[in-house]
Amino acid sequence: MKMQADACIGIALDGITDPVARCTDAPEPEIIRLPSPRPHRVLPPRDPGERALGGDAAFASLDGRGWVDDGPIERRPVLEMLERLEQTASQSGDTVNGGTGDLIAAHVRAIANQPSGRHILAIPDRLTDVGQQRLLDGMHRANLATELLWRPIATLLGWSLDLTPHQLATLHKRSALVIHLGFWTIEVSIVELEVEEANGRQWLTPVRTGP
């Protein structure tokens, strides 16, 4: 598979470090890891029609520091917003202009620093269909082409890049136990493994059957 330069932006969306990598093909396919901005918080819009601020812009805003006459706006931690994706609009405090999915999209736009191309988000294994749809809706409204990838699948794909062809071959039709040690949750996933050949080399194909 040949990718266009800067065609893919991958983000491990954990709400804490949210590492970002960009795939390019100049001169050879490679992954460029981007520096992580500070902080992982988003500043909601004050008025209808305004955009939420993420990354360094959220940190630098005077609004978020409370240095304005009509009261401060609280910066929202990204980790907290990931949890709110599962809540109803009334529970999460969503508004038409500042929904949880829209605020996370503002964060993704800020740390990716590239609105074009595909944004591949590695998401928590426990995120339900409701949470996924709210996230995708927010990304769509921000005009960010987005695909979701389960976190254990992303973990195995990254791990497999350093394996030799012989090591990859031994994984075919086997299972893997993937454990994510979060800050207050632990995710445990069992993933079936298949090895396929494409473009003259072998690739690990993890198959997720459930959390």
Side-chain angles (χ1 to χ4, degrees), residues 51-115:
R51 275 191 173 184
L53 299 179
D56 288 337
F59 180 81
S61 171
L62 299 184
D63 251 331
R65 300 183 186 188
W67 295 348
V68 291
D69 294 334
D70 50 352
I73 301 177
E74 181 183 0
R75 297 190 187 101
R76 296 188 184 178
V78 175
L79 180 60
E80 177 184 307
M81 289 190 293
L82 287 173
E83 299 291 335
R84 287 185 177 183
L85 282 173
E86 302 293 343
Q87 301 175 350
T88 65
S90 59
Q91 289 174 327
S92 63
D94 279 6
T95 65
V96 174
N97 199 44
T100 300
D102 300 276
L103 297 180
I104 294 177
H107 169 66
V108 169
R109 177 185 289 273
I111 64 176
N113 196 28
Q114 181 173 324

Side-chain angles (χ1 to χ4, degrees), residues 9 11 51 101-121 135-148:
I9 301 99
I11 301 174
R51 275 191 173 184
D102 300 276
L103 297 180
I104 294 177
H107 169 66
V108 169
R109 177 185 289 273
I111 64 176
N113 196 28
Q114 181 173 324
S116 62
R118 290 186 302 142
H119 295 72
I120 313 298
L121 304 184
L135 176 57
L136 288 171
D137 288 345
M139 297 291 288
H140 176 72
R141 285 190 290 268
N143 295 317
L144 298 174
T146 305
E147 297 177 29
L148 304 182

Side-chain angles (χ1 to χ4, degrees), residues 4 10 30 60 86 101 114 132 134 142 163 176 182 184 191 195:
Q4 297 177 350
E30 64 175 333
E86 302 293 343
Q114 181 173 324
Q132 294 173 50
R134 292 182 71 190
L163 300 181
W184 55 66
V191 181
V195 178

Side-chain angles (χ1 to χ4, degrees), residues 193-208:
L193 303 178
E194 298 180 3
V195 178
E196 301 178 352
E197 185 170 336
N199 296 334
R201 64 165 292 181
Q202 292 179 314
W203 303 90
L204 183 67
T205 306
V207 180
R208 176 185 179 276

Side-chain angles (χ1 to χ4, degrees), residues 122-202:
I123 60 173
D125 201 39
R126 66 186 184 278
L127 195 63
T128 66
D129 290 344
V130 172
Q132 294 173 50
Q133 191 59 57
R134 292 182 71 190
L135 176 57
L136 288 171
D137 288 345
M139 297 291 288
H140 176 72
R141 285 190 290 268
N143 295 317
L144 298 174
T146 305
E147 297 177 29
L148 304 182
L149 182 65
W150 292 113
R151 181 153 53 199
I153 301 298
T155 299
L156 287 169
L157 290 174
W159 169 71
S160 69
L161 292 178
D162 294 327
L163 300 181
T164 65
H166 173 72
Q167 291 172 323
L168 280 173
T170 63
L171 298 176
H172 189 57
K173 297 299 183 182
R174 299 185 66 177
S175 300
L177 178 67
V178 183
I179 301 176
H180 173 76
L181 300 178
F183 282 81
W184 55 66
T185 59
I186 298 177
E187 295 175 10
V188 179
S189 305
I190 298 178
V191 181
E192 303 300 320
L193 303 178
E194 298 180 3
V195 178
E196 301 178 352
E197 185 170 336
N199 296 334
R201 64 165 292 181
Q202 292 179 314

